[in-house]
Amino acid sequence: MAWFKRQSGELDTSGEKRVRTEGLWVKCDGCRQIIWKKDLEENLNVCPKCGKHFRIDARTRLAQLLDDNQYEVFVDLKAYSSRLKQAKADTGLKDAIINAHGKLNGRPVIVSAMEYSFIGGSMGAVVGEAITRAIEKAIETRKPIIIVSASGGARMMEGVISLMQLAKVSAALARLDAARVPYISVLTDPTTGGVTASFAMLGDLNIAEPGALIGFAGPRVIEQTIRQKLPPGFQRSEFLLEHGMLDAVVARKELKAYIARALEFMAQAA
Ligand SMILES: [Zn+2]
């Protein structure tokens, strides 16, 4: 019955064709359309069709925010466990963060960008220390600091040490505030757990990218605790803006100009 049975090898798609196109196209989670990867990258990794903001790594973020992709990375982080070896090999980073100083529309700034692909952007002792040092550098040099969050929260493998970072970073931000140096928090997809519960919500200005997941506990845990169904869009940027948890939702394309204007305003007000 050859009509019903597939001849072996007849529909073999594992050949050259598939290999050649691999990685050239991506499917958008937002509109389910197929996008040419190059188009996506040229559009700052924002879907040209529906505006969905794709996740980007810390280096891409720095390149987008700082002038002419010119910046210097600071804080030399030391390894603290062999568990991190794989993440280091995968990302080429020493932990889930890059601290850099450079210029943003001509103004000297410090940027700490979190790297989600490094153990879910989780905050352990090293990330906490790196952010604290970036804040201290901001105080010392009186340069505004921008922290771009992308994190699953505290790094559970480090237990209570990871929770200590919430207090440590928050205390450093209190010193920054006392020194009257501006801090802009940029929340990107996803910003959750201990990072939301500490520095991500402590900016002089808290701004988020469109459609970013932002929250403390997951929706399932909350529903079980309050015994209620959560509304749609709960824990997304737009919902949080509407409910007064954020100051603005800013598209990636506008982000740099928006931060520059905010810093200009803060400098005049100071
Ligand atoms: Zn799309």
Side-chain angles (χ1 to χ4, degrees):
M1 294 293 274
W3 288 339
F4 299 99
K5 278 195 179 151
R6 194 171 283 166
Q7 299 290 325
S8 65
E10 203 181 358
L11 282 173
D12 185 14
T13 53
S14 62
E16 236 177 281
K17 235 184 218 166
R18 187 188 273 181
V19 175
R20 223 182 263 168
T21 56
E22 192 166 302
L24 284 178
W25 303 88
V26 281
K27 190 173 182 181
C28 174
D29 283 340
C31 61
R32 309 239 143 247
Q33 299 221 51
I34 307 290
I35 323 161
W36 196 26
K37 213 169 180 182
K38 198 157 167 276
D39 285 345
L40 183 66
E41 278 161 14
E42 277 170 7
N43 200 37
L44 306 177
N45 283 288
V46 174
C47 173
K49 286 162 181 155
C50 73
K52 150 125 190 149
H53 283 52
F54 284 66
R55 289 176 186 170
I56 54 174
D57 63 27
R59 285 197 179 91
T60 309
R61 177 67 66 180
L62 291 174
Q64 286 183 6
L65 285 179
L66 296 170
D67 297 351
D68 313 314
N69 201 7
Q70 292 285 311
Y71 57 85
E72 266 177 66
V73 172
F74 65 95
V75 182
D76 194 21
L77 303 171
K78 277 191 182 151
Y80 61 99
S81 163
S82 60
R83 293 184 89 167
L84 300 169
K85 261 188 196 152
Q86 190 59 45
K88 284 175 192 164
D90 291 348
T91 60
L93 299 180
K94 286 173 179 155
D95 212 299
I97 193 152
I98 302 179
N99 281 346
H101 54 89
K103 285 183 176 173
L104 191 150
N105 282 6
R107 184 186 300 276
V109 292
I110 288 171
V111 181
S112 276
M114 298 191 78
E115 175 61 64
Y116 187 73
S117 65
F118 195 109
I119 318 184
S122 54
M123 175 169 61
V126 175
V127 170
E129 177 66 16
I131 293 176
T132 303
R133 288 195 201 173
I135 296 165
E136 283 166 353
K137 189 130 185 154
I139 297 171
E140 186 191 306
T141 59
R142 301 204 59 81
K143 289 177 190 170
I145 180 165
I146 299 142
I147 303 179
V148 184
S149 302
S151 175
R155 189 170 298 169
M156 284 321 180
M157 296 92 105
E158 292 186 25
V160 75
I161 299 294
S162 68
L163 296 179
M164 293 290 293
Q165 307 311 313
L166 278 72
K168 175 171 162 172
V169 175
S170 301
L173 284 173
R175 294 198 294 277
L176 182 80
D177 187 55
R180 300 180 62 78
V181 175
Y183 161 39
I184 294 181
S185 173
V186 180
L187 296 89
T188 71
D189 185 53
T191 297
T192 60
V195 168
T196 310
S198 60
F199 61 87
M201 285 295 187
L202 293 176
D204 294 311
L205 202 58
N206 299 324
I207 58 187
E209 286 195 331
L213 174 73
I214 299 163
F216 180 61
R220 197 163 39 97
V221 174
I222 299 172
E223 282 182 348
Q224 282 167 2
T225 308
I226 64 172
R227 294 165 195 280
Q228 277 180 44
K229 201 89 191 121
L230 294 166
F234 175 76
Q235 292 188 324
R236 293 284 164 187
S237 313
E238 294 74 13
F239 186 94
L240 293 175
L241 176 68
E242 211 173 292
H243 291 81
M245 297 288 286
L246 293 172
D247 295 306
V249 175
V250 183
R252 193 170 290 163
K253 226 179 266 182
E254 318 290 334
L255 192 58
K256 186 173 176 177
Y258 187 97
I259 293 172
R261 269 203 314 280
L263 291 178
E264 179 66 33
F265 176 79
M266 288 172 182
Q268 280 170 6

